[in-house]
Amino acid sequence: MRLTEFWRRMYEHFGEAYAESFASDHVMSELGGRTVRQALDAGHEAKDVWRVVCETQGVSGVLR
């Protein structure tokens, strides 16, 4: 998954303003105690981060 697709899905589900806030502020143990932005910056694959967001936040659209 490209980052552009990741962010499109984040904005679609959360809305642009909340997606940005969530990605910067919400620390997730499933991402090693990182936020979405920190995980992506650390080299986690966008598809893996999206799976974690889907699983923890009840978002439909988990990648198979």
Side-chain angles (χ1 to χ4, degrees), residues 4 9 11-12 14 16 19-21 23 25 28-29 33-34 36 39 43-47 51 53-55 57 62 64:
T4 54
R9 290 178 185 212
Y11 296 155
E12 184 177 290
F14 293 109
E16 193 167 337
E20 293 289 340
S21 175
D25 299 333
M28 303 174 77
S29 61
R34 295 178 175 98
V36 166
H44 287 254
E45 294 287 330
K47 67 180 178 179
R51 280 190 188 112
V53 171
C54 289
E55 291 167 1
Q57 302 304 304
V62 174
R64 309 249 180 245

Side-chain angles (χ1 to χ4, degrees), residues 4-37:
T4 54
E5 177 64 13
F6 172 84
W7 287 111
R8 185 193 67 76
R9 290 178 185 212
M10 287 286 288
Y11 296 155
E12 184 177 290
H13 180 73
F14 293 109
E16 193 167 337
Y18 186 65
E20 293 289 340
S21 175
F22 179 87
S24 297
D25 299 333
H26 189 81
V27 175
M28 303 174 77
S29 61
E30 298 83 358
L31 295 175
R34 295 178 175 98
T35 66
V36 166
R37 286 205 178 271

